[in-house]
Each structure stands twice: as C-alpha cells, then as structure tokens.
Amino acid sequence: MNFNLKIWRQAEGSAAGKFVDYQAKEIPAEASFLEMLDIVNEGLIARNEEPVAFDSDCREGICGTCSLVINGVPHGPGKAKTTCQLYMRRFRDGDTIWVEPFRVLAFPIIKDLIVNRSALDQIVEAGGYISVRAGSAPEANGIAVSKRDADLSMEAAACIGCGACAAACPNSSAMLFTAAKISHLGLLPQGQVERSRRAVSMVRKMDELGFGNCSNQYECEAVCPAEISAGFIARLNRDYAGSAVKEAVLAE
Amino acid sequence: MPVATLTPAPARKFSRNPLIAFYQSSIGKKWIVGATGAILFAYVIGHLIGNLQVFLGPDRINGYAQFLHDLGPTLWVIRLSLLLAFIIHIVATIQLAQQNKAARPQAYAVQGYQRSTLTSRTMVVSGLIVLCFVIYHLLHFTFEATNPVFRTLEDSHGRHDVYRMLILGFRKPLISFFYVLSMFLLACHLSHGFASVVQTFGINNSKISGIVARSGESLASLIFIGYISIPIFILLRIVH
Ligand code: HEM
Ligand code: FES
C-alpha cells in the first residue's frame, strides 16, 4: 500500500516545527503504524536524512510508550488500541495521513513526535501510592475485598499511562488519568489511610502542571487504549469534594 | 538529546485558605459552576411554569405577577441570589475557559473529535449569547426600559397587565425571532449542562451515563418547546 504522510518535524523543543510531506511506498497491509514509520525511516537513513523521531517500546499495547495523533485522533482510528496496535489495513491505499505529536502544554515536545510525559509521573508521585512496609507477602485472605470493588479497581488499574486522554481532551485535561490512578487505590481497603490526602494532592499537582479542566466531553474515554470509563472522573469529582472538606477540617 | 524541561513555575497557585484553594482547583471550580448552574437551571424551569399561565388567560398571569410583586423583600432576596449565582457562574466558567485555552498553546492541524458534540464544545458561546438575551429580556419585560409604554398597562383590577404586555411584545416578529433563537441556545446549553452537572456532582457512572445524556436532551427540548410556545402562539394570533 502507498500513503502520503504529513509528519510534524521539530528539531527540538524550543525550535519551530512544521509538517513535512513523505511518501510511504509498498507498505504491507499487515504492518503496524510504527512499522510503517520504521520503513519510512529506513528510506530516510539510506538517503542520509534525519529519521523521524517517535516513541515506542513494547509494541504490543501494554507499556503506554507509543503516542502520536493520527488524523486528529490520539492512537489513530479505532477503539481500545495503541498506535503500535494500529495496522495499515485500516487505511485505504493512497490515503493522506496527518501525524502530529500529543499537543499538551504539560507534555513539552522533545523532538518531532516525541513528547515528555513525565508530568504524569509527577501526578503519581504526588500521592498515587500507599505507604506500607513491604515485607513478606501477607496472608491473601487477611483483608476482605468485595468482588465489585476488586473488579472496579482492576478496571481503573488497567491504565497504561500513555497520556492519550490529555492529548484527546479539547482542554488538555489529565482527569481520566488522575481519576484512574486515584480510583484504583481508593477502591481498596489498603488505599483508605491516605485517601483524602491523595485526592487533594494529586489533583493539585495536576492543576499546577498546567493541565486544563475537564468539561465532560468524554474524548478521553473514546481514545483510551485501556477503555477506562469516564465514570471514574465522576468518582474523582465526588472523592475530591469529600476529601477537600476532610483535609480542611483535619488541618485545623 | 536535549531534554525538554517541564513548565518550571506552577501554572496555577493555591491559597492556604482551604475555601479559596477549593475554588482555585479545577474540580472545585467545576463544583461551583455546577452548583450555580443547577440553581439557574431550577429557576429556568420555575420561570417556565410561571409563564405558561399565559395560556390560562389574563386573570391568571396578571394575578401571578401581582403575587410575585407582593412578595416584596422575599422577591428581592430571590432576585439577588439569582444574580449572584449568575455572576459566579460566568466568572468561573470564563476562568475555566481561559485555563483550558492555555493548556493547549498549539492547536492540532487536524481535529478528529470522537465523542464530544458541537453543543458541548460551545458552552461559552451559547452561555454568552444567553447572557446578552437575559440583559435584553430584563430591559424588555422587567424594567420595561425598551418599551416604557408597558409600564402604563393596567387590567380591570388595577393590576399591571402582564398579559397585554406579552401580546404587544411578541407581536413583533423580529423580537419573537430573537426570543426563539435565544431559547434554542439556552436549550443547547442546558442539554450539555444537565449531563455535565450530574457528572460534576459525581452521580454519574458508566451504566447510567447514556440515560443521563438523553435526559438532558429531553429536558432541554421540553424547556425549548415550552418557552417558544408563548411567542409563537401570540405571533400566530392564537393567543390574543
Ligand atoms: C440562564 C442561564 C444559564 C444557565 C441555566 C446555565 C446552566 C449551566 C449548567 C447547568 C451547567 C453545567 C455545570 C457543570 O459543568 O457541572 C453550565 C455549564 C457552563 N456554563 Fe452555564 N448557564 C447559564 C448561563 C451561562 C452564561 C451566561 C455563560 C457565559 C459564559 C455560561 C457558561 C457556561 C460554561 C462555559 C459551562 C461549561 C463549564 C464546564 O463544563 O467546564 N453559562 N451552565
Ligand atoms: S509501544 Fe508499548 S504500548 Fe505501544
């Protein structure tokens, strides 16, 4: 298959960027989007040109390293998959495909299509953990967890932290990410001790980093490779209000 | 490879006062927008029910208007609370919108919206047009500044003749058209607003979100039909 690519090129974060046209020729239909870019890069290297910089690691949808906004959609067309799981057979022969980096203030561009997503790590550092002495494994049935809460917590824990939610959000909000991280701990008994502090400090960090405010548009849910439900944002909204009150009272 | 530095100074600052800090946080501000929006929403429904009494004849609507006026200080408490809710709602949403704009300095070259709607993306536009409408509406029927002649209308009981005022006001096609258009934008605003408030208050979940969204649309449609029925029936001379 052949494609006309319009790829965002930017030498470094502070440089100006622009779209450059590339022809992707004789691409197998079963190639993934990243493999297609690999083929294009091989051609560039053979011609002594700078290859297109993009992120990837596992290439099987579990690490959350790949990114890209393809024709305006983070991780490209289709549901519940990452860019590394997007196959060229989804496109038509001869299609023009726009490839852009995630455009979020809190994700500065490093080069071409690579952005720095350590803002998400900073949100987790602000409270996305539980403080326990990690000794030998405790008795598995020592703490009872209801099936419902365990399932819901696991659903939230499926987040791979790719940042597509913030990239898709018209407001560059990281609410789906933060909601998933807060919920998967907040739903479990082990997460209760630090629950209110966690919600307040993680949301504050998210705000300080310059992410936007959720306006309930659910673009995040639509592109999430782990299909995290925007229902977790509702859970965060109520968790946050309760936590803010609790923390204010406890602070006295 | 040069490592891009993250925004060095925090994009937002927080007060030590927990109440102010709550308002400064993204979620706290959304709670305030939701709470004021819900108050205004309730008013919109109450106002509609009051207005629909025009179809029960002059005696009913004029009596209702008289009843409201006789509330005296209570009426002013209600009016000032609504004004306060309105101002807070507008100030908070404009601040949210500015922060949202700042969070994406460079727009995408291609936009591939999946789930959001035109209505949900244009809340500020529909809101600001509703604001213009509210100002005009108050000058038109409450302060009667645009048509001072309305002040002189009295019915046979010596009450302010609201019924005649509505008939005279809405017989002008251009004015009725502006009312209908404004009510359409209000309905758009409330359609997303309803679903939004349920989400912001944390009542939503993935099982009911579809029903919530459709309830918002249905409620907004009913409000739209209810409000526009008045100018339309008057324009068509069915109510005269
Ligand atoms: C009769 C007047 C109005 C009513 C009944 C009303 C009602 C509502 C409701 C119920 C919401 C949902 C709140 C939430 O997100 O939880 C909302 C949101 C919003 N309103 Fe209004 N509103 C009115 C006027 C205005 C005006 C004049 C503006 C002008 C700027 C405005 C701007 C917005 C915006 C931007 C949102 C979305 C906020 C967000 O989701 O981030 N509204 N409104
Ligand atoms: S490279 Fe790991 S998820 Fe795509």
Side-chain angles (χ1 to χ4, degrees):
Chain A
M1 303 174 81
N2 299 314
F3 304 100
N4 306 308
L5 304 177
K6 290 187 182 292
I7 301 181
W8 183 260
R9 301 299 312 259
Q10 185 169 341
E12 58 176 343
S14 54
K18 64 171 196 296
F19 285 98
V20 178
D21 289 336
Y22 295 98
Q23 301 298 320
K25 291 209 176 75
E26 292 170 33
I27 304 292
E30 63 272 20
S32 75
F33 202 84
L34 298 184
E35 285 161 348
M36 182 276 293
L37 289 178
D38 289 339
I39 296 171
V40 171
N41 273 346
E42 278 165 16
L44 289 177
I45 292 166
R47 295 203 305 272
N48 243 337
E49 287 177 40
E50 181 77 11
V52 177
F54 62 90
D55 256 332
S56 79
D57 188 7
C58 71
R59 296 214 175 185
E60 55 181 7
I62 54 174
C63 73
T65 306
C66 57
S67 55
L68 309 187
V69 173
I70 300 159
N71 287 339
V73 183
H75 293 308
K79 274 191 170 353
K81 49 104 212 49
T82 50
T83 297
C84 60
Q85 294 169 304
L86 171 66
Y87 296 96
M88 298 317 293
R89 56 177 174 260
R90 254 200 165 271
F91 296 89
R92 271 171 318 192
D93 199 24
D95 269 358
T96 296
I97 305 174
W98 292 76
V99 191
E100 292 179 74
F102 284 180
R103 295 200 190 277
V104 175
L105 175 77
F107 295 162
I109 292 180
I110 295 173
K111 185 179 182 178
D112 294 342
L113 303 170
I114 300 183
V115 297
N116 184 342
R117 283 168 281 178
S118 60
L120 298 180
D121 301 329
Q122 292 188 47
I123 295 176
V124 171
E125 280 165 22
Y129 50 78
I130 52 173
S131 310
V132 289
R133 191 176 290 276
S136 54
E139 157 61 31
N141 294 322
I143 302 172
V145 183
S146 76
K147 169 97 170 83
R148 202 199 57 172
D149 287 349
D151 285 350
L152 212 54
S153 175
M154 279 305 285
E155 264 181 50
C159 169
I160 57 175
C162 63
C165 43
C169 175
N171 314 323
S172 293
S173 164
M175 279 283 272
L176 191 61
F177 170 82
T178 309
K181 297 303 169 195
I182 286 178
S183 299
H184 93 256
L185 297 174
L187 278 159
L188 297 178
Q190 294 89 337
Q192 298 312 307
V193 182
E194 290 151 313
R195 181 166 168 187
S196 58
R197 184 149 35 103
R198 175 184 308 119
V200 171
S201 46
M202 286 178 77
V203 169
R204 173 159 304 181
K205 180 53 81 180
M206 170 182 91
D207 291 346
E208 282 175 351
L209 286 163
F211 288 105
N213 311 286
C214 173
S215 57
N216 312 324
Q217 317 251 13
Y218 310 141
E219 290 291 338
C220 51
E221 186 185 71
V223 301
C224 178
E227 299 193 285
I228 307 285
S229 157
F232 287 112
I233 296 180
R235 174 177 290 276
L236 170 58
N237 287 336
R238 71 173 181 266
D239 213 20
Y240 179 80
S243 299
V245 172
K246 209 167 151 191
E247 287 298 298
V249 173
L250 288 179
E252 290 310 310
Chain B
M1 186 186 294
V3 175
T5 44
L6 283 167
T7 356
R12 298 191 207 176
K13 295 207 173 45
F14 291 88
S15 162
R16 296 173 75 90
N17 177 326
L19 217 68
I20 300 177
F22 181 76
Y23 178 77
Q24 287 169 328
S25 74
S26 55
I27 300 181
K29 210 180 257 108
K30 290 212 33 121
W31 270 87
I32 304 294
V33 169
T36 51
I39 292 170
L40 296 171
F41 202 128
Y43 169 75
V44 164
I45 294 176
H47 189 49
L48 172 62
I49 295 170
N51 290 354
L52 285 176
Q53 295 179 62
V54 71
F55 295 120
L56 301 176
D59 196 44
R60 270 305 278 271
I61 188 94
N62 292 352
Y64 171 67
Q66 188 66 42
F67 158 76
L68 288 181
H69 271 266
D70 292 345
L71 287 176
T74 320
L75 178 68
W76 276 101
V77 171
I78 297 174
R79 280 178 170 171
L80 290 177
S81 317
L82 282 171
L83 181 67
L84 194 66
F86 203 58
I87 292 171
I88 295 174
H89 186 83
I90 296 169
V91 170
T93 48
I94 289 178
Q95 288 174 343
L96 286 170
Q98 284 171 338
Q99 290 170 336
N100 292 344
K101 215 166 143 45
R104 173 155 304 141
Q106 177 150 23
Y108 288 111
V110 181
Q111 260 307 348
Y113 292 123
Q114 311 266 298
R115 188 74 57 84
S116 61
T117 58
L118 187 62
T119 318
S120 73
R121 290 192 301 266
T122 52
M123 290 295 273
V124 177
V125 179
S126 59
L128 287 177
I129 296 176
V130 168
L131 170 65
C132 297
F133 164 76
V134 169
I135 293 171
Y136 172 73
H137 180 54
L138 289 175
L139 292 175
H140 191 203
F141 284 151
T142 305
F143 302 115
E144 297 159 352
T146 53
N147 306 51
V149 60
F150 287 167
R151 292 182 192 147
T152 62
L153 298 173
E154 267 188 18
D155 70 2
S156 53
H157 299 277
R159 299 175 300 197
H160 181 27
D161 196 350
V162 172
Y163 188 83
R164 279 251 75 74
M165 177 174 81
L166 289 176
I167 304 272
L168 293 176
F170 286 140
R171 275 207 182 150
K172 306 215 170 69
L174 212 64
I175 288 182
S176 283
F177 174 76
F178 177 58
Y179 268 80
V180 171
L181 182 75
S182 305
M183 288 306 105
F184 178 72
L185 289 162
L186 176 65
C188 290
H189 198 85
L190 294 183
S191 168
H192 178 67
F194 179 83
S196 210
V197 110
V198 172
Q199 173 82 356
T200 302
F201 288 177
I203 306 162
N204 212 0
N205 64 44
S206 54
K207 289 190 194 73
I208 62 166
S209 64
I211 302 169
V212 169
R214 278 190 300 280
S215 308
E217 286 161 15
S218 313
L219 206 56
S221 309
L222 285 178
I223 289 173
F224 176 64
I225 294 169
Y227 272 114
I228 66 161
S229 66
I230 301 167
I232 288 183
F233 277 59
I234 289 175
L235 258 188
L236 296 177
R237 301 288 199 274
I238 299 171
V239 171
H240 50 81

